[in-house]
Amino acid sequence: MNAADAAAGFRQRLQSLIDGSGLNQAAFARMAEIDRSTLSQLLSADGPRMPRADTLIALAQACQVSVDWLLGLTPRKEVGTQIIDSIMQIQTHTRSPIDDHFLGWLREVEGYRVRTVPDSLPDFLKTEEVLRFEYQGASLNNVASSFGARLALMRRPESELEVCTSIQALTTMAKGEGKWEGLNKTARRRQLEHFGELYAELYPSLRIYFYTLTETYSNPFTVFGPKRVTLFLGTSYLVLNGIDYVRLFSKRFDELIKLAVVQPHQIAQTLDDVLSELG
């Protein structure tokens, strides 16, 4: 970046701070404790003028932004502990198959690829009967409308979702074992058929991979396009914002795909095999 481009970027950032403050230039200069004439010169687009160090520090302190951001050296405005807060957050989970936070994150990255490792089978592929069994005691009054919103996102042409989970999550549900113990055989069969029908409709925008727990294991996480990663902690989400986290967990997802024993094009046959074993 040459001096003229750097100066132009600085002016854009400075103007955005003034616009965001709701103040006119004179009031903004007073707030930042710099001369009004200095502010006017900095905003003029007639050369590669950059602020002196003391002016730069005054602007950064007054507006609670980093000096590096003002100079165009980082895309992050935040300074100090604000950076930590923006990179790492905790969001509560509502113990519902459709969480408002999760749906909001999906909408934010519409058009980007989402990659998820659920703790079992993806909730949006489950029947209401199975959801009520699995989420006993939770309010499921709005589950139909919530799933409708999720499926509407999935049905858009630009949608792309990859799911990677264990084959044991499928087989234990089919057998009524583990957390599905007590779920009747008819409900389990309907679940498998429902899974197959939805997958046939959404594939290849939806692609599912099964790995086996005898070879690997993964905690539940989701990569929301280039924006963030969320780790599911049972009662909350650990939200990691930043491209470094996206790259790290995308690499882990790629590793799980390489270990997959069932590829996306084999899902229909796998479901048929499990249904046949169910009898």
Side-chain angles (χ1 to χ4, degrees):
M1 183 184 298
N2 59 38
D5 290 339
F10 168 77
R11 286 192 292 270
Q12 290 175 358
R13 286 172 169 79
L14 179 56
Q15 188 62 60
S16 72
L17 292 176
I18 296 172
D19 295 342
S21 72
L23 303 173
N24 59 32
Q25 286 189 23
F28 183 86
R30 287 195 300 271
M31 183 270 294
E33 298 183 355
I34 62 175
D35 291 337
R36 182 179 176 181
S37 60
T38 300
L39 182 62
S40 296
Q41 291 170 2
L42 291 173
L43 289 169
S44 64
D46 57 357
R49 179 180 174 84
M50 294 290 282
R52 298 186 315 184
D54 57 341
T55 302
L56 193 62
I57 292 171
L59 288 168
Q61 290 178 340
C63 300
Q64 292 294 293
V65 297
S66 70
V67 170
D68 284 352
W69 178 79
L70 278 171
L71 293 175
L73 301 177
T74 177
R76 291 193 174 278
K77 282 187 181 182
E78 302 88 345
V79 60
T81 57
Q82 291 177 314
I83 294 178
I84 297 175
D85 291 340
S86 69
I87 291 176
M88 187 177 299
Q89 302 162 343
I90 295 289
Q91 296 283 3
T92 57
H93 178 246
T94 58
R95 198 176 181 272
S96 168
I98 286 290
D99 185 274
D100 289 340
H101 293 307
F102 198 92
L103 195 55
W105 293 324
L106 283 175
R107 286 174 173 148
E108 278 185 3
V109 294
E110 202 171 340
Y112 290 100
R113 181 172 53 172
V114 175
R115 316 180 86 185
T116 187
V117 181
D119 63 343
S120 60
L121 299 178
D123 279 343
F124 75 97
L125 292 177
K126 295 174 183 174
T127 64
E128 185 170 339
E129 187 175 14
V130 167
L131 288 170
R132 291 191 180 280
F133 178 86
E134 190 172 336
Y135 288 89
Q136 294 178 39
S139 175
L140 298 180
N141 293 334
N142 299 320
V143 67
S145 60
S146 297
F147 270 31
R150 174 77 182 270
L151 287 173
L153 285 175
M154 288 296 306
R155 287 174 172 136
R156 294 186 181 182
E158 64 274 18
S159 174
E160 187 177 4
L161 174 65
E162 290 185 325
V163 178
C164 200
T165 190
S166 72
I167 188 67
Q168 286 80 5
L170 178 69
T171 56
T172 55
M173 187 281 297
K175 296 175 182 177
E177 298 174 347
K179 67 179 181 179
W180 290 288
E181 185 177 355
L183 181 65
N184 68 72
K185 184 176 180 179
T186 302
R188 285 182 271 133
R189 171 172 284 279
R190 279 198 292 259
Q191 172 58 72
L192 293 169
E193 292 169 346
H194 178 73
F195 188 155
E197 290 166 3
L198 267 183
Y199 188 75
E201 175 193 347
L202 298 173
Y203 178 79
S205 295
L206 168 65
R207 298 185 295 280
I208 296 180
Y209 303 81
F210 284 119
Y211 61 83
T212 175
L213 292 175
T214 60
E215 290 188 19
T216 190
Y217 170 77
S218 177
N219 287 311
F221 69 87
T222 302
V223 180
F224 290 93
K227 296 210 58 160
R228 66 177 51 84
V229 175
T230 64
L231 280 71
F232 182 55
L233 306 178
T235 58
S236 60
Y237 296 102
L238 175 61
V239 185
L240 303 172
N241 302 300
I243 191 63
D244 289 340
Y245 292 113
V246 169
R247 288 171 179 161
L248 176 65
F249 282 89
S250 293
K251 182 179 179 181
R252 174 56 180 156
F253 197 93
D254 288 337
E255 292 170 352
L256 291 172
I257 285 179
K258 290 177 182 178
L259 293 171
V261 295
V262 177
Q263 297 293 318
H265 67 280
Q266 299 171 315
I267 294 296
Q269 184 60 56
T270 300
L271 290 172
D272 285 345
D273 292 343
V274 174
L275 276 165
S276 297
E277 291 178 8
L278 188 61

